[in-house]
Amino acid sequence: MSYRNSAIHQFNIYFFNSAFHMQQLTHILGCILLFLVSSPVVAQNDCSYELSGYVLDAHNKKPLPNSKVHIRELDITVTANSKGFYSIPGMCKGEYLVFCKHIGCDAIKDTIELTQSTVLNFYPEHHLEIGPVEVEANKDADLTQKPERMSERELNESRGLSLGEGLSKINGVSQLSAGNNISKPVIHGMHSNRILILNNGVRQEGQQWGNEHAPEIDPFIAGDLAVIKGANSVRYGPDAIAGVILVNPKELKKTPGISGELNLVGLSNGQQGNVSATVDGNLSKLPALRWRAQGTLKRGGNVHAPDYFLKNTGIFEYNFSGAVGWFKPNYGIDVFYSQFNTEIGVFSASHFGNLTDLQTAFEAERPLEEADFTYAINRPRQEIEHELFKAQGYLFTGDKGKLTFTYARQFNRRREFDKDVPLNDSLAALNLPALSFNLTTHTGEIAWQHNRVNNFKGSIGVSGIHQGNTYRGRFFIPNFRKLGGGVYWIEQWKPKGSKLALEAGARFDYIYQRIYMWVDEEIYSPEQHFMNGNGSFGASYAFNKKFSVRGNVGTAWRPPNVAELYSDGLHHGAAGIEIGNSALKTEQALNFTASLEYDSDRLRFLVDGYYNIVNNFIYLRPTLETLLTIKGAYPVFAYSQANAHLRGTDITVGYELTDNWNFTSKASILRAWNFSQNDHLIWMPADRFENSVEYRFNKNSKLTNAFISMTVVTVLEQTRVPENTDFAPPPEGYTILNASMGMDIPVKNQLITVGLTANNLLNARYRDYMNRFRYFTDVMGTNIALRVKVPFELVKAKSIHEIHN
């Protein structure tokens, strides 16, 4: 058995042999639910213990008053007194994660097993203040565009899914997909080059122009996933029209020891298995040195819709990353490297040999090709590799602020194999891709954050990019070279103790691009110059600790990308012919956002409203023509441009019915209008509603962090589309039922997290408007996932107070 099949195949067999068919999975789900509901409550723990200690400077052992000590499991935060002393009485026996934070210091944390009253001292590396530092839960409080972060539980439930699928748990974020394995995030109706993804602080640069080109990021890397909705071009540069996605790994280990985490995920649909492990280290004799190693392996076979298997929809993926850093109070440097590799089968029944079959497929209720389950990945398929190297350093500039330097190199290789092999036997034996892209990108940034001066704090920075793309094989987009640079300045005003915060910024960017392509047997090499300035202004006001409002207005822009300008031919993964338009102009956007947030003990809600005015909005339009080529018959799409308005709202409301029962409701509504055509804008997400109820078991039960939840998802039919402008009408709306449950199991001072989720539990048959393959097939049916997260310790860490005593 090859390396691709061995370990992951054994994992699949373990979880998905003949005993793990759908009926058995449903039976297991019911049994676990019954066990949880019937679990007896054990006697109360002794809750008379006290956790106390001092917060002292690591260098001179002087007290650090007003430090914050936070217990995550209890959601309790206390403040150290003038002597640096803190005390938390009335604690129960158990394991706790304790955070300590002081202004001007990096947060530190320690895990303790409380069996008696305990003294725990903290020794932060104290250095000069770079701005006010909030407790972790409130670190975004003053931002006029607050990131919406996935909770730890949502992160756990997204393990094994693609980045686009996982992010769709955030209200207002949907998916644009091409089958089951390829999806990319959509924010307020916009995607691809209008969304900027920051992978470990680096602008992700791949072939993201394609509708079926998903982000080349391993979601297991992320310790924090967040979305900033709205225009963010001032801070992050062109393309951030719809928003920014932040993919941040956990901080490198700050306490001595070697520990890690093992994630095992099994999915019933496609019999997919995932194994991911992370190891973090820090040496007590060399505490400034921190490191991490991580790797992921994934394999899945053909997925099935409620009535049939989808032919050639398997996936194989292996990824790895490593990081090492040297951190001192006044300076630091870290290096990061990651590699993402995947092989994806493209749904065979989306490619046809003649126009008759293509038209028949548009009208059919089932795919024209079907198959049984297999792990084999055949043509058509894609192979993608993405490398990221990043080096970053920081230096505190006296009492003025902090200087940060970042350099990154990315390499992206995409190989696309057509459905049919060449007729020439010798060429067929080489098994070469029909099309191959190599994209190399170098980026750099220097930024300076200054400390608060007369109620102002801010940052100024300069960034640059050099990018080159080459291709081999069939023409689709040309070779090109791109150079760019930008400078920005952002300031925030907030007097001490004020409820009002104001923020403003400005940026200027210049981009040079040169194309290299053959036209009439001659090299055509036009040069293009794009430049633009943009700005933003925002305000936030906190009426009290529970209720706040935010508003922001900003401009953004992006030049048309090479695919939009010059593509010409078969876009293999999207199963269509795409035609560029060299006359496209730069997109210009004016974005308004406003939000209201309320968070009390029982009631919480978040209401986001937005209005985007986008001139020269570029979109891919079905031409209603089909074309027979030597590679087969395909629908034809062409890039067009229009003045458009996109407006809508995202609403999330949660209510604690009791200490155990919780109800959450979400709604995402979008209206998009094409003013150039005086009609609706095509390819916009339909209105979406989610209602969920959750039961959380008492903390004093024998179950730790145990819960059960049921969610009803309703997506309405997208009726706001131009008439007679697509190869098939929008599909009907649908309602599906999802369920999830989970718990932490204490094993030898570690908490093993176990979760079970079921998507489309009733196996509903439906098609989604935002799925490019809706022309040919239903969405996959019930998918039950079992997730196990096992923390481990290879070298036992001493607690913080032991290290310094």
Side-chain angles (χ1 to χ4, degrees), residues 396-676:
F396 284 92
T397 55
D399 60 352
K400 303 298 183 181
K402 178 182 178 183
L403 192 64
T404 304
F405 312 84
T406 305
Y407 164 77
R409 175 192 180 273
Q410 297 177 72
F411 174 74
N412 185 281
R413 175 184 288 121
R414 169 174 289 270
R415 307 173 77 208
E416 302 191 349
F417 296 79
D418 287 344
K419 185 175 183 178
D420 298 319
V421 299
L423 297 177
N424 184 298
D425 291 340
S426 59
L427 290 177
L430 296 175
N431 195 30
L432 296 175
L435 179 60
S436 177
F437 299 107
N438 290 334
L439 179 71
T440 304
T441 307
H442 299 268
T443 55
E445 182 181 68
I446 300 175
W448 183 63
Q449 297 171 277
H450 72 78
N451 296 335
R452 191 172 297 279
V453 178
N454 296 328
N455 301 322
F456 285 92
K457 70 170 184 176
S459 62
I460 185 170
V462 59
S463 62
I465 183 173
H466 177 270
Q467 188 173 76
N469 181 79
T470 61
Y471 83 92
R472 297 184 66 181
R474 183 184 66 243
F475 178 85
F476 184 68
I477 65 170
N479 298 336
F480 68 87
R481 182 163 59 96
K482 183 167 73 173
L483 297 168
V487 59
Y488 68 89
W489 186 10
I490 302 172
E491 291 291 332
Q492 185 189 77
W493 175 87
K494 186 184 180 184
K496 186 176 181 180
S498 174
K499 296 181 178 181
L500 175 67
L502 302 176
E503 186 176 271
R507 182 182 181 109
F508 178 81
D509 285 278
Y510 169 78
I511 295 175
Y512 165 84
Q513 186 169 271
R514 187 168 186 179
I515 309 301
Y516 303 88
M517 58 188 296
W518 288 96
V519 176
D520 297 330
E521 298 184 354
E522 293 184 359
I523 290 290
Y524 175 62
S525 185
E527 296 182 346
Q528 298 165 321
H529 303 267
F530 305 98
M531 64 184 72
N532 213 317
N534 47 73
S536 66
F537 177 79
S540 66
Y541 188 85
F543 293 93
N544 49 51
K545 292 183 179 180
K546 299 179 180 179
F547 182 51
S548 62
V549 296
R550 292 177 177 80
N552 190 278
V553 57
T555 60
W557 71 290
R558 75 171 188 96
N561 63 56
V562 171
E564 293 165 335
L565 291 167
Y566 299 109
S567 61
D568 186 12
L570 172 60
H571 194 175
H572 152 274
I577 303 293
E578 296 182 7
I579 301 173
N581 182 350
S582 60
L584 294 176
K585 301 177 181 178
T586 297
E587 282 188 355
Q588 302 277 359
L590 178 61
N591 176 273
F592 300 88
T593 60
S595 66
L596 293 85
E597 185 174 16
Y598 181 83
D599 193 350
S600 67
D601 293 338
R602 292 290 185 189
L603 175 66
R604 64 189 184 282
F605 66 78
L606 175 64
V607 180
D608 291 325
Y610 58 92
Y611 196 109
N612 295 322
I613 302 171
V614 186
N615 291 334
N616 303 321
F617 182 87
I618 301 170
Y619 64 101
L620 194 60
R621 173 181 56 85
T623 64
L624 301 185
E625 297 177 359
T626 55
L627 184 65
L628 181 62
T629 73
I630 193 173
K631 297 295 182 180
Y634 298 95
V636 179
F637 301 83
Y639 284 101
S640 299
Q641 200 159 40
N643 294 333
H645 288 195
L646 298 88
R647 66 189 191 278
T649 185
D650 304 322
I651 303 172
T652 302
V653 179
Y655 187 73
E656 302 283 341
L657 301 171
T658 68
D659 290 341
N660 302 100
W661 290 96
N662 173 64
F663 176 79
T664 302
S665 183
K666 298 180 180 180
S668 183
I669 299 170
L670 167 67
R671 300 291 179 266
W673 190 256
N674 183 332
F675 277 87
S676 299

Side-chain angles (χ1 to χ4, degrees), residues 150-224:
M150 292 179 63
S151 67
E152 184 177 6
R153 196 180 101 189
E154 289 174 329
L155 273 175
N156 288 336
E157 292 182 352
S158 69
R159 301 306 190 193
L161 305 177
S162 68
L163 183 67
E165 290 174 304
L167 286 168
S168 64
K169 294 179 179 294
I170 296 177
N171 200 16
V173 181
S174 53
Q175 301 177 63
L176 177 66
S177 56
N180 57 292
N181 290 323
I182 304 173
S183 69
K184 58 198 316 178
V186 179
I187 301 176
H188 297 162
M190 293 183 279
H191 56 83
S192 302
N193 286 81
R194 298 186 188 92
I195 296 177
L196 190 60
I197 299 178
L198 288 183
N199 181 11
N200 197 7
V202 175
R203 176 188 178 112
Q204 179 80 2
E205 290 290 342
Q207 305 284 357
Q208 62 261 34
W209 44 265
N211 287 342
E212 76 343 324
H213 295 175
E216 304 93 346
I217 297 174
D218 180 4
F220 281 100
I221 287 179
D224 177 38

Side-chain angles (χ1 to χ4, degrees), residues 300-455:
N302 286 348
V303 302
H304 61 80
D307 301 325
Y308 47 82
F309 280 97
L310 278 65
K311 185 178 180 181
N312 198 45
T313 51
I315 184 172
F316 172 73
E317 185 174 305
Y318 67 96
N319 315 306
F320 58 90
S321 66
V324 61
W326 180 266
F327 301 94
K328 301 295 285 185
N330 295 318
Y331 69 91
I333 186 170
D334 66 279
V335 176
F336 174 83
Y337 176 82
S338 68
Q339 189 176 120
F340 174 94
N341 301 271
T342 187
E343 181 181 8
I344 301 173
V346 177
F347 180 47
S348 293
S350 63
H351 291 241
F352 306 92
N354 58 73
L355 296 174
T356 301
D357 285 349
L358 175 60
Q359 188 59 44
T360 301
F362 285 146
E363 301 170 355
E365 293 187 0
R366 299 172 66 101
L368 300 190
E369 290 186 49
E370 296 183 18
D372 295 325
F373 176 81
T374 178
Y375 283 110
I377 300 175
N378 300 310
R379 292 169 174 260
R381 73 179 195 272
Q382 300 178 353
E383 294 178 0
I384 300 102
E385 174 192 343
H386 189 90
E387 298 178 21
L388 166 62
F389 170 81
K390 168 196 169 185
Q392 185 176 59
Y394 67 85
L395 175 68
F396 284 92
T397 55
D399 60 352
K400 303 298 183 181
K402 178 182 178 183
L403 192 64
T404 304
F405 312 84
T406 305
Y407 164 77
R409 175 192 180 273
Q410 297 177 72
F411 174 74
N412 185 281
R413 175 184 288 121
R414 169 174 289 270
R415 307 173 77 208
E416 302 191 349
F417 296 79
D418 287 344
K419 185 175 183 178
D420 298 319
V421 299
L423 297 177
N424 184 298
D425 291 340
S426 59
L427 290 177
L430 296 175
N431 195 30
L432 296 175
L435 179 60
S436 177
F437 299 107
N438 290 334
L439 179 71
T440 304
T441 307
H442 299 268
T443 55
E445 182 181 68
I446 300 175
W448 183 63
Q449 297 171 277
H450 72 78
N451 296 335
R452 191 172 297 279
V453 178
N454 296 328
N455 301 322

